[in-house]
Amino acid sequence: MGATLNVCITCRAGLAPVEGVLCPGAKLHAALCEAPAPEGVEIRPVECLSACRSGATIALTGPGRWSYIHGPLSVADSGAILDFAAAYAATADGIVPWRERPALFRKHVIARLPPAGDLA
Amino acid sequence: MGATLNVCITCRAGLAPVEGVLCPGAKLHAALCEAPAPEGVEIRPVECLSACRSGATIALTGPGRWSYIHGPLSVADSGAILDFAAAYAATADGIVPWRERPALFRKHVIARLPPAGDLA
């Protein structure tokens, strides 16, 4: 089963809204959608991940996997986010080994959630 | 289907560990388990929700529901946590209406995650 890269498209990242200008979350989503998604990854826009103090924010989820919420991130991180989503999709449990995890995702973690059911 | 109240049992809440003394997360879990769990709620200990800067931390999850991660919380909040878990369990989608949400859970939200599948 595939992985989902949820992107908060309402995130202002602490900035005041400007009419006619995409908010940072929507900009990040647009940047992530510029190239085809990595194999096994679906990019899903979400209205508010409620991590407004740590935006822009993404969350990696998938059936049977730990979920990981990361931020603050920006358009400049798009390539790294797609690479990391591919690494996440390649795991069975959602846990990318620590030594294979880029510093960006070691440091910019907001929270993680266990999958449903019994934990190993 | 029921709801799960995940409790991070490894949370130090910024404190140095003391030998023979439960960490704040384990204390919170113990306090939550003192009374029977609310109807429809299973209390599940989890090792690290990776929200170490905002601990102690709990996460409400359930099939088909939005997940909510809350913190910082402490033993003093145990009763409020159980009441809120019961309110969460009574929803179909995990979204407790804003006006029914205690200030504690309006303010102390770390992030939320959408359920799998299509969003309404």
Side-chain angles (χ1 to χ4, degrees):
Chain A
M1 295 283 278
T4 301
L5 170 57
N6 302 271
V7 186
C8 181
I9 56 166
T10 51
C11 190
R12 294 176 180 177
L15 302 175
V18 179
E19 199 175 319
V21 177
L22 290 180
C23 66
K27 277 185 191 169
L28 177 58
H29 179 256
L32 291 169
C33 293
E34 277 179 10
E39 191 180 328
V41 176
E42 178 200 5
I43 298 176
R44 178 163 72 149
V46 179
E47 292 195 357
C48 197
L49 288 170
S50 289
C52 313
R53 285 185 299 269
S54 308
T57 305
I58 62 104
L60 289 162
T61 58
R65 288 187 176 89
W66 285 78
S67 300
Y68 278 85
I69 307 166
H70 291 279
L73 297 167
S74 73
V75 168
D77 304 314
S78 298
I81 293 170
L82 292 173
D83 287 347
F84 191 64
Y88 177 89
T91 68
D93 59 4
I95 301 178
V96 176
W98 187 255
R99 64 185 177 282
E100 296 169 20
R101 216 176 291 185
L104 180 67
F105 296 98
R106 290 185 184 184
K107 290 181 183 170
H108 292 218
V109 59
I110 296 170
R112 67 173 193 165
L113 271 181
D118 293 335
L119 297 177
Chain B
M1 295 285 278
T4 301
L5 171 56
N6 303 271
V7 186
C8 180
I9 56 166
T10 50
C11 189
R12 296 177 181 176
L15 303 174
V18 180
E19 200 176 318
V21 176
L22 290 180
C23 66
K27 278 186 189 168
L28 178 58
H29 178 256
L32 291 168
C33 293
E34 277 179 10
E39 191 180 328
V41 176
E42 178 200 3
I43 298 177
R44 177 163 71 149
V46 180
E47 293 196 355
C48 197
L49 288 169
S50 289
C52 312
R53 286 185 297 269
S54 308
T57 305
I58 62 105
L60 290 161
T61 58
R65 288 187 177 90
W66 284 77
S67 301
Y68 279 83
I69 307 165
H70 291 281
L73 298 167
S74 72
V75 168
D77 304 315
S78 298
I81 293 169
L82 292 172
D83 288 348
F84 191 64
Y88 177 89
T91 68
D93 58 4
I95 301 178
V96 177
W98 186 256
R99 64 185 180 282
E100 297 169 20
R101 215 176 293 185
L104 180 66
F105 297 99
R106 289 185 183 182
K107 290 181 183 169
H108 292 218
V109 59
I110 297 170
R112 69 173 192 164
L113 272 183
D118 291 338
L119 297 177

